[in-house]
Amino acid sequence: MPRQWKNSPARKKCFDMKVIILGDGGHSKVIQEMIMALGRHEIVAVLDDKYDQGFQLKGMIHAPISFLVKLLRPGIRVVVAIGDNKIRKTITENLNLLPEQFMTVIHPTAVVSSSAAIGHGTVVMPHVVVNARAEIGSHCIINSASVIEHDNEIGSFTHVSPNATFAGNVTCGEGVHAGSAATVIPDMHLGSWSIIGAGSTVIENIPAYSKAVGSPTRIIERLLI
C-alpha cells in the first residue's frame, strides 16, 4: 500500500514569515502576487476599511484595518499597500510600529545591487533595476521596469512609476511621485512632495510641492502643503 503522507509534518508548508497587508486595491493585488511569487511567506490577512466586518476567503482574513491590533503577533510583518503617497504615510505613522515590523518586498525578477540600501516597507516591483550605492527610503513604491541608477538618494514615501528612469546622482525628497516613463537626468534634485508628469524629462531641479510636466519639464502648478 502506498505510504500516506496527508497528516505527516513533511507535507506541511514551512514559511519564513507571516504577512499582513493593509489595503486591498489594485496596488495591493500586485503586492499579494509578489509575495506569493517569493514562495517563502504566508499572507495571513488583507485589511481594508471597505470591509465592515471580518471574514475568511481562501485561507486569508479580510477585515477592517482596525483588526490589525487583534492579529499582530511577534514575527508577523506588515506591508502598507496603498498607492497614494500621503495616505500611505498617514496610515504608516498612525500604526506606531517599529521599522523592523514592516516587510520590504522585492520581486524575484528585480536586479538590486549588493551595495544598494532599501528601507523598511518599500516595494520593488518586477524587472526593476537598482544600481550601485543607490539609497531608497522607507515605504517607497519602485514600480515595474523602473531604473534607479547609481548613487541615487530617494526619500521615503516616494512612488517611481513604471518605466521611469532616475539617472545617476539624483536626489529626491520625501513623497515625490514620478509618472510613468518619466526621465530624470543625472545630478538633479526633486523637492519633497513634487509631482513629475508621465513621459516628462527633468533637466533642471524641481522645487518642493511643485507639479512639472513636459519634455523638458516646466512647472505648471504649486501644490498645497
Side-chain angles (χ1 to χ4, degrees):
M1 179 180 292
R3 189 171 182 180
Q4 299 298 311
W5 290 98
K6 183 175 181 180
N7 297 318
S8 168
R11 294 284 291 177
K12 293 182 179 179
K13 176 70 173 178
C14 295
F15 295 103
D16 293 346
M17 188 184 302
K18 294 181 183 294
V19 184
I20 295 174
I21 296 177
L22 304 189
D24 198 17
H27 179 58
S28 174
K29 297 295 193 297
V30 176
I31 292 176
Q32 291 173 48
E33 290 191 0
M34 286 174 59
I35 293 172
M36 289 186 284
L38 292 171
R40 305 192 309 272
H41 312 305
E42 179 185 10
I43 302 171
V44 296
V46 178
L47 307 183
D48 192 299
D49 284 342
K50 69 182 181 182
Y51 300 122
D52 295 327
Q53 57 187 2
F55 62 95
Q56 280 202 339
L57 180 64
K58 296 182 180 179
M60 287 189 290
I61 296 170
H62 290 67
I65 291 176
S66 59
F67 271 53
L68 181 64
V69 295
K70 302 177 183 179
L71 300 174
L72 201 58
R73 300 287 185 274
I76 290 180
R77 296 294 180 266
V78 175
V79 180
V80 182
I82 304 292
D84 184 282
N85 293 346
K86 289 185 178 180
I87 296 174
R88 189 167 66 259
K89 180 179 180 181
T90 298
I91 290 175
T92 299
E93 292 182 344
N94 287 343
L95 293 175
N96 199 28
L97 300 179
L98 297 173
E100 56 268 24
Q101 290 179 277
F102 293 101
M103 180 184 181
T104 300
V105 185
I106 301 176
H107 194 273
T109 64
V111 178
V112 180
S113 168
S114 61
S115 63
I118 298 176
H120 295 287
T122 285
V123 178
V124 180
M125 298 286 194
H127 306 294
V128 165
V129 175
V130 181
N131 270 330
R133 300 181 303 279
E135 296 182 6
I136 300 173
S138 299
H139 304 287
C140 294
I141 301 170
I142 311 301
N143 223 316
S144 304
S146 57
V147 177
I148 306 299
E149 263 299 342
H150 66 88
D151 300 294
N152 277 258
E153 296 181 11
I154 309 298
S156 296
F157 302 102
T158 286
H159 185 169
V160 181
S161 296
N163 293 298
T165 298
F166 283 23
N169 294 294
V170 171
T171 60
C172 175
E174 181 182 87
V176 170
H177 184 100
S180 298
T183 299
V184 184
I185 71 168
D187 303 312
M188 293 295 100
H189 175 73
L190 308 180
S192 296
W193 301 100
S194 59
I195 297 174
I196 310 301
S200 297
T201 303
V202 178
I203 63 170
E204 60 183 6
N205 294 337
I206 303 298
Y209 300 99
S210 298
K211 183 176 183 179
V213 301
S215 184
T217 50
R218 67 189 188 282
I219 295 171
I220 62 168
E221 186 178 356
R222 298 291 185 178
L223 305 172
L224 296 176
I225 297 176

